[in-house]
Amino acid sequence: MQEMIEKVLESRWLWLVARLCLVGVFLASGLAKLIDFDGGMAEMTAAGLSPAGLFNGLVVVTLLSGAVLILLDRVVWLAAGMLGGFLLLTILIVHHFWSKTGADAQISMFFAMEHIAVIGGLMIAAIASHLRRLVANVSD
């Protein structure tokens, strides 16, 4: 049983599925902001970001390029940093629960905690990608 579990954990397909699960939300959000660019600009305006078109464009590029790099298992440390930085900025700009009250504060805190958990997952992906490359180089 242990040997089977190790084979699954070391498999390329599970590594791909894990990366796909991690970046699905970034792909969906980036594509939504690209397809409905006006809606994305409305989000930027609501967050107080101006010019909205520039910020929406930067967000689309960040979300999609970061997600694709992780899916391709290329410079995952950079992609994780980009997406993690995006999430951190989102907490500071949109989900600043410390300056809200009541239900708004609670909802923002939950979003902030979820974002922090995903940042941790991105960090783990960067570490795993690095270690998988080290193991592959040793076995070559």
Side-chain angles (χ1 to χ4, degrees):
M1 183 70 156
Q2 180 69 27
E3 185 176 318
M4 184 178 72
I5 292 170
E6 287 177 8
K7 283 186 185 261
V8 170
L9 291 175
E10 294 168 7
S11 68
R12 289 179 186 219
W13 66 266
L14 184 62
W15 178 226
L16 175 61
V17 169
R19 295 189 327 266
L20 185 56
C21 288
L22 181 61
V23 301
V25 68
F26 298 110
L27 286 172
S29 182
L31 288 172
K33 285 172 178 42
L34 179 62
I35 293 167
D36 180 14
F37 203 81
D38 289 339
M41 289 194 323
E43 286 182 32
M44 301 305 140
T45 301
L49 300 172
S50 181
L54 173 65
F55 279 100
N56 192 55
L58 291 172
V59 167
V60 167
V61 169
T62 300
L63 295 177
L64 294 180
S65 63
V68 167
L69 286 172
I70 289 174
L71 277 177
L72 295 175
D73 198 13
R74 301 289 182 253
V75 289
V76 175
W77 63 269
L78 176 62
M82 291 167 43
L83 295 173
F86 167 78
L87 290 173
L88 184 60
L89 287 171
T90 302
I91 292 170
L92 296 173
I93 295 169
V94 179
H95 304 299
H96 44 89
F97 58 90
W98 54 90
S99 67
K100 299 179 180 187
T101 59
D104 285 341
Q106 188 176 29
I107 290 169
S108 288
M109 184 183 70
F110 289 149
F111 275 114
M113 291 171 61
E114 287 176 354
H115 284 19
I116 290 168
V118 174
I119 290 169
L122 290 164
M123 294 164 72
I124 291 167
I127 293 166
S129 177
H130 174 72
L131 293 177
R132 288 177 67 87
R133 288 193 193 291
L134 287 177
V135 168
N137 289 337
V138 168
S139 64
D140 285 344

